[in-house]
Amino acid sequence: MTQQYPSALLEKAVAEFSSLPGIGQKTALRLVLFLLRQDKDKVERFAQTISEMRHKIKHCTVCHNISDTDVCPICSDARRDDTTVCVVENVQDVMAIENTQQYNGLYHVLGGVISPMDGIGPNDIEISSLAERVESGKIKEVILALSSTMEGDTTNFYIYRKLAKFDIRLSVIARGISVGGELEYTDEVTLGRSIINRQPFDGRQ
Amino acid sequence: MTQQYPSALLEKAVAEFSSLPGIGQKTALRLVLFLLRQDKDKVERFAQTISEMRHKIKHCTVCHNISDTDVCPICSDARRDDTTVCVVENVQDVMAIENTQQYNGLYHVLGGVISPMDGIGPNDIEISSLAERVESGKIKEVILALSSTMEGDTTNFYIYRKLAKFDIRLSVIARGISVGGELEYTDEVTLGRSIINRQPFDGRQ
């Protein structure tokens, strides 16, 4: 049985919210009823912000990260090392790496990973623009920072072949046991990689 | 450390979504990035729907349920029994009871329950308008269908005293073990109420 709503406007708003990922009908109804209890001005600002954001946000023409300007603040920051490019899947990954405060180079946001199951091929993501950036000459190292999944590994390998002809260093972020992680609870594959990729130890962590 | 966003517009949109109940910053970011990938028309429709809903939805002048019209479809339905009124806390409760298809009377939506802890007194919810409806004469039975909580019970008792002077039947929905519920997993208070409020049994369920 489909849910009966006391108002067509309410039903329409619930339908819009339930079209968002991870939001079911009950949650959508709760959100809509919450907005109904708020000031008209506040709800208007909410709606305006969504509309404005969709129309005005751009993608950086260099790294394809989300940006308010044609070239994003990271790409246009003269203090950053423009000879190093870190390849990530999406915007959240850029934010996660920035949060570590351990990286001072630039980024290249693919906008996805190769995934034949989802119909995403190499031409659907920003791989050829990466090759063009490398070809233009300044870049000395490309760091692959994709998720450690089959799709991530496939994309890493495709990029490896695509960039093989250029004289650059290609590296991949370390896989191993998490900092604070207990050995006995680490899965075997990760633990195996940790051992194979062991690092020289000088007494400091 | 506060999260750095690559775009001020993105940050503003994430802030708006995180102001919704149950939506944290990470979920908000995921929703905003989802909307960024959608067609401009679709996002515009989403924003428009929210704005329109807040400006146009009314509350029924009779039962205070959400409505597109001054009097809601339930209150204006001549086939419904207008001598019976079911008192509920909110819109979701009306929808839940309508879903049972077991009730053909009208509703009265309080818009909350008495809760001194949250600073909600009898005058903050639609109790006096309920007394006015009863006073106007047509109503023969008022059914209390509030949640079985301390606040619900307090509100039931307040309404009981408020309506005591009127010649109507006042009833409360049954509390007992759920249909399909197993006896040994039912809490003692509920099970006790089930026994006290036992019903005559004629061989049919």
Side-chain angles (χ1 to χ4, degrees):
Chain A
M1 196 180 61
T2 52
Q3 180 64 60
Q4 294 288 317
Y5 291 90
S7 145
L9 286 167
L10 182 72
E11 185 167 5
K12 215 171 126 189
V14 170
E16 287 290 349
F17 269 100
S18 1
S19 74
L20 298 177
I23 308 271
Q25 285 223 350
K26 286 220 167 182
T27 306
L29 179 60
R30 197 162 46 84
L31 296 179
V32 170
L33 292 174
F34 172 83
L35 286 174
L36 270 178
R37 288 193 304 271
Q38 306 306 304
D39 281 348
K40 286 190 179 174
D41 289 354
K42 185 181 147 47
V43 177
E44 194 57 39
R45 203 181 59 220
F46 182 83
Q48 277 297 324
T49 302
I50 291 168
S51 165
E52 194 188 0
M53 175 266 304
R54 180 62 188 85
H55 286 85
K56 292 194 183 163
I57 284 184
K58 303 169 182 183
H59 286 91
C60 171
T61 52
V62 180
C63 74
H64 306 283
N65 192 10
I66 278 173
S67 173
D68 293 335
T69 46
D70 286 336
V71 177
C72 78
I74 293 177
C75 286
S76 52
D77 185 344
R79 289 164 303 179
R80 295 190 75 123
D81 170 17
D82 62 356
T83 65
T84 310
V85 168
C86 179
V87 177
V88 293
E89 181 177 343
N90 58 36
V91 183
Q92 288 103 312
D93 298 336
V94 174
M95 289 167 61
I97 295 176
E98 285 295 288
N99 280 345
T100 69
Q101 299 187 305
Q102 298 294 323
Y103 180 66
N104 194 41
L106 306 184
Y107 291 94
H108 192 86
V109 181
L110 295 178
V113 283
I114 297 171
S115 172
M117 291 282 284
D118 302 310
I120 302 172
N123 297 326
D124 299 315
I125 59 178
E126 295 290 345
I127 292 184
S128 44
S129 58
L130 172 65
E132 285 162 26
R133 278 180 85 177
V134 172
E135 195 162 17
S136 71
K138 221 171 189 178
I139 295 165
K140 289 180 185 153
E141 178 172 5
V142 168
I143 303 170
L144 300 170
L146 302 180
S147 294
S148 185
T149 58
M150 179 129 68
E151 290 78 14
D153 291 347
T154 306
T155 311
N156 279 345
F157 187 68
Y158 188 89
I159 293 174
Y160 161 76
R161 288 200 312 181
K162 197 89 179 170
L163 301 184
K165 59 183 169 183
F166 300 111
D167 180 27
I168 53 158
R169 199 146 51 118
L170 190 65
S171 57
V172 65
I173 54 168
R175 280 102 195 248
I177 73 165
S178 336
V179 178
E182 290 191 46
L183 214 74
E184 67 174 303
Y185 298 118
T186 305
D187 70 280
E188 292 161 26
V189 181
T190 303
L191 191 52
R193 290 285 282 267
S194 270
I195 292 168
I196 294 168
N197 299 323
R198 63 194 178 280
Q199 302 283 313
F201 183 59
D202 63 357
R204 292 175 299 177
Q205 289 297 337
Chain B
M1 196 179 63
T2 52
Q3 180 65 59
Q4 295 288 317
Y5 290 91
S7 144
L9 286 166
L10 182 72
E11 185 167 5
K12 214 171 125 189
V14 170
E16 288 291 349
F17 269 100
S18 358
S19 74
L20 298 176
I23 308 272
Q25 286 224 348
K26 284 220 168 179
T27 306
L29 179 60
R30 197 160 48 82
L31 297 178
V32 169
L33 293 173
F34 172 82
L35 286 174
L36 270 178
R37 288 194 303 271
Q38 307 305 303
D39 281 349
K40 285 188 181 177
D41 288 353
K42 184 180 149 45
V43 177
E44 194 56 37
R45 204 179 60 219
F46 181 83
Q48 277 297 322
T49 302
I50 292 169
S51 166
E52 194 188 0
M53 174 267 302
R54 180 64 188 85
H55 286 85
K56 293 195 184 160
I57 283 184
K58 301 168 185 186
H59 286 90
C60 172
T61 52
V62 181
C63 73
H64 306 281
N65 193 9
I66 279 172
S67 174
D68 292 336
T69 46
D70 285 336
V71 176
C72 78
I74 293 177
C75 286
S76 52
D77 185 344
R79 288 164 304 178
R80 295 191 76 122
D81 169 17
D82 61 358
T83 66
T84 310
V85 168
C86 181
V87 177
V88 293
E89 180 177 344
N90 57 37
V91 183
Q92 288 103 313
D93 298 336
V94 174
M95 289 167 62
I97 294 176
E98 285 297 288
N99 279 347
T100 68
Q101 298 186 305
Q102 298 294 322
Y103 180 66
N104 194 39
L106 307 185
Y107 291 93
H108 192 86
V109 180
L110 295 178
V113 282
I114 297 172
S115 173
M117 292 282 283
D118 301 312
I120 302 172
N123 297 325
D124 298 316
I125 60 178
E126 295 290 346
I127 292 184
S128 43
S129 59
L130 173 64
E132 285 163 26
R133 280 180 82 177
V134 173
E135 196 163 15
S136 72
K138 218 171 192 178
I139 295 165
K140 289 180 186 152
E141 178 173 4
V142 169
I143 303 170
L144 300 170
L146 302 180
S147 294
S148 186
T149 58
M150 178 130 66
E151 291 77 15
D153 291 347
T154 305
T155 311
N156 279 346
F157 187 68
Y158 187 90
I159 292 173
Y160 161 75
R161 288 200 311 178
K162 197 88 178 170
L163 301 185
K165 59 181 171 185
F166 300 111
D167 180 29
I168 54 159
R169 199 145 52 116
L170 189 65
S171 58
V172 64
I173 53 167
R175 280 102 196 248
I177 72 164
S178 336
V179 178
E182 289 192 45
L183 214 72
E184 65 173 306
Y185 298 118
T186 306
D187 69 281
E188 292 160 24
V189 181
T190 303
L191 191 53
R193 290 284 283 266
S194 269
I195 292 168
I196 294 169
N197 299 322
R198 62 195 178 278
Q199 303 281 315
F201 183 59
D202 63 356
R204 293 177 297 179
Q205 289 299 338

